[in-house]
């Protein structure tokens, strides 16, 4: 069935909104898991932040998404561990 550009855009925007909802949920889940890691590390005498691990994460995002991936990873790290 032929569709209009407006209908195509509306459908795509609905999909984007659904994807954004999933992404937000995953970020919230990541924040909760990160909190467990930080609390456990601190309770066992370690530091709140593990810089080598953060560098791995930055590299993974950069490799998968290019330079903007690094910015995205930095934002995620800040959300999950707070500012350092």
């Amino acid at each position: 069935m032929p569709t209009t550009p407006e209908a195509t855009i509306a459908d795509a925007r609905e999909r984007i909104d659904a994807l954004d909802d999933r992404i937000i949920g995953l970020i919230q889940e990541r924040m909760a898991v990160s909190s467990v890691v930080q609390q456990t590390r601190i309770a066992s005498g370690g530091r709140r932040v593990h810089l080598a691990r953060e560098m791995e994460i930055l590299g993974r995002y950069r490799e998968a998404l290019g330079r903007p991936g690094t910015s995205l990873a930095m934002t995620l790290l800040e959300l999950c561990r707070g500012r350092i």
Side-chain angles (χ1 to χ4, degrees), residues 4-70:
T4 66
E6 293 82 9
T8 300
I9 290 169
D11 289 344
R13 285 181 176 163
E14 283 183 33
R15 289 180 58 206
I16 287 170
D17 290 344
L19 288 166
D20 285 343
D21 289 342
R22 289 171 45 199
I23 291 167
I24 290 167
L26 289 169
I27 291 169
Q28 290 170 331
E29 182 179 351
R30 189 187 193 290
M31 291 168 68
V33 172
S34 180
S35 178
V36 169
V37 170
Q38 287 181 49
Q39 290 172 7
T40 304
R41 190 181 306 120
I42 291 168
S44 66
R47 297 175 46 147
R48 181 174 65 97
V49 176
H50 188 260
L51 295 178
R53 172 67 176 147
E54 290 196 358
M55 293 306 293
E56 290 175 20
I57 293 165
L58 291 169
R60 181 183 318 151
Y61 276 77
R62 182 179 55 254
E63 185 176 311
L65 303 172
R67 189 168 168 224
T70 303

